[in-house]
Amino acid sequence: MTKARDIMTAVATCIGANETVLEAAKKMAELKVGSLPICGTDDRLKGMLTDRDIVVNVLAAGKDPATVKAGDLAQGEAVTIGADDDAAEILRTMSLHQIRRLPVIDGHTLVGIVALADVARALPDTNVGDLLETISLN
């Protein structure tokens, strides 16, 4: 059975919780990604920061991205998947939480990200279509 570690993107570059949103935006541009995991000084996942978070919660709110910390935008406990969780759990978690990017942890260590594109490449079209429909409804 397909597991999260089989389909994830293994490189998961974090933005530190104490780094600024401006630094995060630069890192996103450099890596050509739309989100970054937010990691604390203890190397534990604190949340996910998306390009949309930056636009809506910082720029549109009139805040200075050079002073707002990435950790300030972490909202509640991060939704994650275990590295050995199967494809059904990935689909269930993405659908339930309406998310397109799912951090993969092994114990407490971030080991990768499963994105909707990873799911699309690895799973049957029917499952992916159902997931996309569920996520796109909101």
Side-chain angles (χ1 to χ4, degrees):
M1 181 164 280
T2 304
K3 295 182 178 187
R5 71 172 71 247
D6 299 327
I7 65 171
M8 71 183 189
T9 300
V11 177
T13 302
C14 282
I15 187 71
N18 292 321
E19 291 183 75
T20 68
V21 170
L22 180 59
E23 292 167 313
K26 288 177 180 179
K27 194 175 278 193
M28 284 182 189
E30 176 187 314
L31 297 170
K32 297 181 174 126
V33 297
S35 69
L36 290 171
I38 303 169
C39 295
T41 55
D42 58 0
D43 288 330
R44 290 195 177 198
L45 183 66
K46 303 299 181 192
M48 290 291 288
L49 178 66
T50 67
D51 47 9
R52 185 177 192 284
D53 294 330
I54 293 170
V55 171
V56 172
N57 298 321
V58 179
L59 300 177
K63 297 177 183 174
D64 181 1
T67 61
V68 175
K69 303 294 183 195
D72 294 343
L73 299 179
Q75 300 172 359
E77 190 172 327
V79 176
T80 63
I81 193 90
D84 291 319
D85 287 345
D86 64 23
E89 185 64 17
I90 294 167
L91 293 170
R92 187 192 71 73
T93 303
M94 287 180 139
S95 294
L96 179 67
H97 296 282
Q98 302 283 302
I99 54 177
R100 298 171 190 267
R101 299 169 194 100
L102 189 57
V104 181
I105 59 170
D106 192 354
H108 293 288
T109 305
L110 178 69
V111 295
I113 302 283
V114 172
L116 188 56
D118 299 319
V119 173
R121 282 190 292 272
L123 301 180
D125 290 344
T126 305
N127 293 345
V128 176
D130 291 344
L131 173 61
L132 186 56
E133 184 178 336
T134 300
I135 291 173
S136 297
L137 289 176
N138 290 338

